[in-house]
Amino acid sequence: MAWLLVQLKLRLLRNALRSSTAAKVSFIVSTTFACLFALGGFVVLALLRGQNTSVDLTTVIFTAVAFGWLILPIFVFGLDSTLDPASLALYPLRIRPLAVGLLGASATGAWPLANLLGLLGVMVGLASGGLGLLVALVAVLLEVLFCITLARFVTTGMAGLLRSRRGKDLAAFLVIPIFALYELFTQVVPRAAAEGRITAASFTGVDSWLRWFPPGLAAHAIQDASDGRPGTALLRLALLGVIIVVLGWLWIRSLDRALVTADTTTQSSRVRGRALPLARYGSRGTVAARCWLYQRREPASLIFWGFTAVIMVAVSVSVILGPGGHPAVLLASAVFGAAFVGVFHANAVGLTGPPFVFEALALTGRHGMRSYFSGQNIALAVIAVPLLSAISFGLAALAGWPEYGFLGTAVDLAGIGAALGLSNIFTAVLPYPMDKRAGNPMRQASQGYASSGVGAALGTLASVAVAAAPVIVAAALTSSDPAVVRMPLLVLLAAVYGFALAWAGVRIAARAAERKLPELCQVAIRSKL
């Protein structure tokens, strides 16, 4: 049974190289990153040799790897069919051989091998002596086995949830903290390390409690064996083995329960018969109400707003963390935030997909298209204006220039108007089909249309920056005027300016879409969402 499931996993990996171009590229990119992770992990752990805090840093790295195995399987649930117990529920399989087979299949692939090779760097950086090297090898094997077992226990226990709508929403929302952590790492950590605020000694206190977790037991077992304490090292390894056995037993119990429990995640939900709000205001109100509902309920839409907030904060990190930052960076963050509102909604037809065809039946002539675009802009502006304004005021307060919250809001209002108008224009003149692939909550451009998405994004970023420039220039020229008059007037004029830009974009887009409505419907039909 175990070898059969391992062969199945290998066949799935081979088939990835024979499928579509996108699957091939994804497989090659994933394998390349796995190789880089293995090489980088080995080098980082090997460079810890001779340092006083080598065991502390090793514990932190081991714990970070285990945390990655805990989170990422939830995020990519559904990419590996051998890990979903529902796909094996109809086969007459015994639980224990099935569990061993699933464990073997989970350990097959580029990333498990990369984790094993990368963590073997402790044999250079931490272990010393023959006993230390032997214990290091065993500890790394147990660490990888613990990570795989932990991941299987979590995904099996949450399999029913992850197949449901709420589970998919949970997996989608994990994109936001992962993106935020990435921005934090790339923006904050290098700056803090360059200023000397993050050193090897910074992790000494963390190890005082991490050492009692399974990754810490593995790291300290290597240290004990290298220091001539074989009894303590073997005791730590034995305790780690017991934890793995208990976790495996819990996983088997969860697997047994999942195989005999009826799947109710595909049952239809209750539909509430309630009138669509704003529908009495014609097609514009209907489109605004529909777009508003999707903004609240669709996980991808919430992810877009989360990304926008994270991007604004990331641009302003230099001002918030250090005294040398210039307050103009706060205005730059407002430009980026407003621009990404347009970037994330610049292909409304492709993002809507086949349902757009039903909407198109009511879009007769230029007036109908103006109602369609303006209805969408109303729903998006209701969210974007307070969200970006609140972030601008919050960033200004953290940076120590609270008055720049008004200036940031003025740039937000002008930029949002420009971004919404541009998103309407790009929707009409440069639509492209979108795909939603298994295991990925985000929609992506269909094969062959990636350049269209990149072009729309770059065009929106550059155009919003140009459109917001007059507001920034006006803020600079009026810097000597009284703030009590200057700030409200700038915000008011920027709101009028942004509204004019959005109105112009709606009219231009409606004129272009009126002639291309059949082509827009074809693009919507080709979207696979």
Side-chain angles (χ1 to χ4, degrees), residues 37-43 45-46 113-122 140:
F37 178 83
L39 179 61
F42 189 93
V43 171
L45 289 171
L113 181 61
N115 278 265
L116 178 63
L117 296 178
L119 295 181
L120 284 177
V122 296
V140 169

Side-chain angles (χ1 to χ4, degrees), residues 329-402:
V329 177
L330 296 173
L331 304 183
S333 71
V335 172
F336 273 89
F340 274 95
V341 172
V343 169
F344 290 140
H345 301 91
N347 184 30
V349 171
L351 291 172
T352 303
F356 175 78
V357 178
F358 296 98
E359 297 179 351
L361 297 176
L363 303 178
T364 56
R366 190 175 302 179
H367 176 74
M369 296 307 303
R370 284 203 298 264
S371 299
Y372 176 77
F373 289 122
S374 59
Q376 284 188 335
N377 290 350
I378 291 172
L380 296 177
V382 168
I383 301 175
V385 171
L387 175 64
L388 270 63
S389 300
I391 295 175
S392 294
F393 274 102
L395 293 175
L398 291 175
W401 293 293

Side-chain angles (χ1 to χ4, degrees), residues 19-348:
S19 56
S20 64
T21 303
K24 292 179 182 178
V25 172
S26 299
F27 179 82
I28 294 173
V29 170
S30 177
T31 304
T32 302
F33 275 106
C35 295
L36 294 176
F37 178 83
L39 179 61
F42 189 93
V43 171
V44 169
L45 289 171
L47 291 176
L48 298 179
R49 188 169 189 84
Q51 297 187 20
N52 296 329
T53 58
S54 58
V55 65
D56 303 332
L57 294 175
T58 301
T59 302
V60 172
I61 294 173
F62 275 28
T63 304
V65 171
F67 184 76
W69 276 89
L70 176 65
I71 295 297
L72 293 182
I74 301 176
F75 178 64
V76 300
F77 182 82
L79 287 178
D80 188 353
S81 59
T82 63
L83 302 182
D84 186 358
S87 61
L88 304 171
L90 298 179
Y91 295 96
L93 304 175
R94 290 181 297 169
I95 297 301
R96 294 187 184 278
L98 176 61
V100 175
L102 290 176
L103 194 64
S106 302
T108 303
W111 279 101
L113 181 61
N115 278 265
L116 178 63
L117 296 178
L119 295 181
L120 284 177
V122 296
M123 300 183 69
V124 179
L126 186 60
S128 61
L131 181 61
L133 292 175
L134 180 61
V135 171
L137 178 60
V138 176
V140 169
L141 291 174
L142 290 177
E143 163 73 5
V144 175
L145 181 60
F146 167 76
C147 293
I148 296 175
T149 307
L150 177 64
R152 298 293 68 79
F153 170 68
V154 172
T155 53
T156 301
M158 300 181 64
L161 173 63
L162 294 174
R163 281 191 300 271
S164 66
R165 173 62 185 268
R166 291 184 179 179
K168 293 177 181 178
D169 293 355
L170 171 64
F173 292 145
L174 285 177
V175 178
I176 298 176
I178 290 175
F179 182 69
L181 289 174
Y182 169 77
E183 289 293 338
L184 177 68
F185 182 82
T186 56
Q187 296 280 346
V188 177
V189 175
R191 182 185 181 93
E195 296 175 353
R197 288 184 290 171
I198 296 181
T199 62
S202 303
F203 299 94
T204 305
V206 178
D207 180 67
S208 61
W209 54 275
L210 280 183
R211 66 171 61 196
W212 303 111
F213 286 83
L217 293 175
H220 280 272
I222 302 172
Q223 180 68 35
D224 291 335
S226 302
D227 292 342
R229 298 190 295 272
T232 307
L234 293 178
L235 183 61
R236 291 183 187 274
L237 291 180
L239 182 57
L240 176 58
V242 170
I243 294 175
I244 295 174
V245 170
V246 172
L247 190 61
W249 177 78
L250 293 174
W251 170 47
I252 292 175
R253 291 289 302 272
S254 178
L255 180 63
D256 188 13
R257 186 167 51 254
L259 292 176
V260 298
T261 303
D263 185 12
T264 60
T265 59
T266 58
Q267 295 180 359
S268 60
S269 58
R270 183 178 59 182
V271 178
R272 298 182 180 180
R274 190 170 56 181
L276 189 67
L278 303 179
R280 60 180 177 273
Y281 296 107
S283 57
R284 180 180 288 106
T286 303
V287 173
R290 191 269 300 168
C291 185
W292 169 255
L293 291 176
Y294 273 96
Q295 295 302 312
R296 292 192 297 111
R297 296 179 180 178
E298 177 64 31
S301 299
L302 299 177
I303 291 173
F304 289 156
W305 295 115
F307 278 3
T308 302
V310 172
I311 289 170
M312 291 185 67
V313 175
V315 173
S316 303
V317 162
S318 61
V319 177
I320 297 174
L321 295 182
H326 195 276
V329 177
L330 296 173
L331 304 183
S333 71
V335 172
F336 273 89
F340 274 95
V341 172
V343 169
F344 290 140
H345 301 91
N347 184 30

